């Protein structure tokens, strides 16, 4: 069984950082999603997700981050995925969603690409 630990630190009223340690898969993605959703409810501007401690992330985790990015953008907020390991970065590169990682590297926010929106729609059965 895989595990994930999510620890959240809140800065000023407009920022928070979620530190993730472990593996993100179908078993642990709901816990990651809950941690990110909680931040998005409480934070008015930016949620940073620190990925240094994430050794694995599958499509379940990717879906959590893509949905969170869309939710944040709809509310005028942003998420930034920071310091992804090579294994995690490869998933984002292969799926054409690396803009979420590159935004954090450059200190900016990039809305999800059209391929990211299509990926979410396909994974959730929606249309986009």
């Amino acid at each position: 069984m895989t595990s994930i630990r999510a620890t959240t630190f809140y800065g000023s009223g407009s920022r928070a950082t979620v530190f993730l340690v472990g593996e993100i898969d179908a078993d642990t993605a709901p816990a990651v999603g809950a941690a990110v959703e909680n931040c998005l409810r409480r934070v008015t501007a930016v949620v940073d997700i620190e990925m240094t401690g994430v050794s694995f992330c599958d499509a379940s985790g990717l879906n959590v981050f893509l949905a969170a990015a869309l939710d944040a953008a709809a509310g005028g907020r942003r998420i930034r995925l920071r310091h992804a390991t090579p294994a995690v970065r490869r998933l984002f590169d292969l799926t054409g969603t690396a803009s979420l990682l590159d935004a954090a590297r450059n200190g900016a926010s990039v809305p999800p690409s059209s391929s990211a929106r299509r990926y979410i729609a396909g994974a959730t059965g929606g249309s986009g």
Side-chain angles (χ1 to χ4, degrees):
M1 181 173 193
T2 56
S3 67
I4 191 77
R5 185 176 70 231
T7 306
T8 304
F9 292 97
Y10 293 93
S12 67
S14 64
R15 296 188 71 98
T17 301
V18 178
F19 292 87
L20 299 175
V21 177
E23 298 180 356
I24 306 171
D25 60 15
D27 291 335
T28 61
V32 172
V36 174
E37 287 175 23
N38 186 45
C39 283
L40 288 173
R41 280 194 298 270
R42 295 179 59 182
V43 172
T44 59
V46 179
V47 173
D48 288 323
I49 302 173
E50 179 57 54
M51 307 276 293
T52 304
V54 176
S55 58
F56 175 80
C57 182
D58 70 5
S60 302
L62 177 64
N63 285 333
V64 166
F65 298 127
L66 295 175
L70 291 173
D71 184 40
R77 297 165 306 217
R78 61 185 173 168
I79 66 163
R80 300 186 308 179
L81 303 180
R82 304 182 62 80
H83 307 112
T85 59
V88 173
R89 181 169 245 313
R90 181 164 164 71
L91 173 66
F92 282 81
D93 287 341
L94 289 172
T95 58
T97 58
S99 63
L100 287 173
L101 299 172
D102 294 333
R105 184 183 317 149
N106 298 327
S109 178
V110 176
S113 66
S114 58
S115 62
R117 288 189 183 101
R118 282 192 303 276
Y119 187 86
I120 292 171
T124 61
S127 60

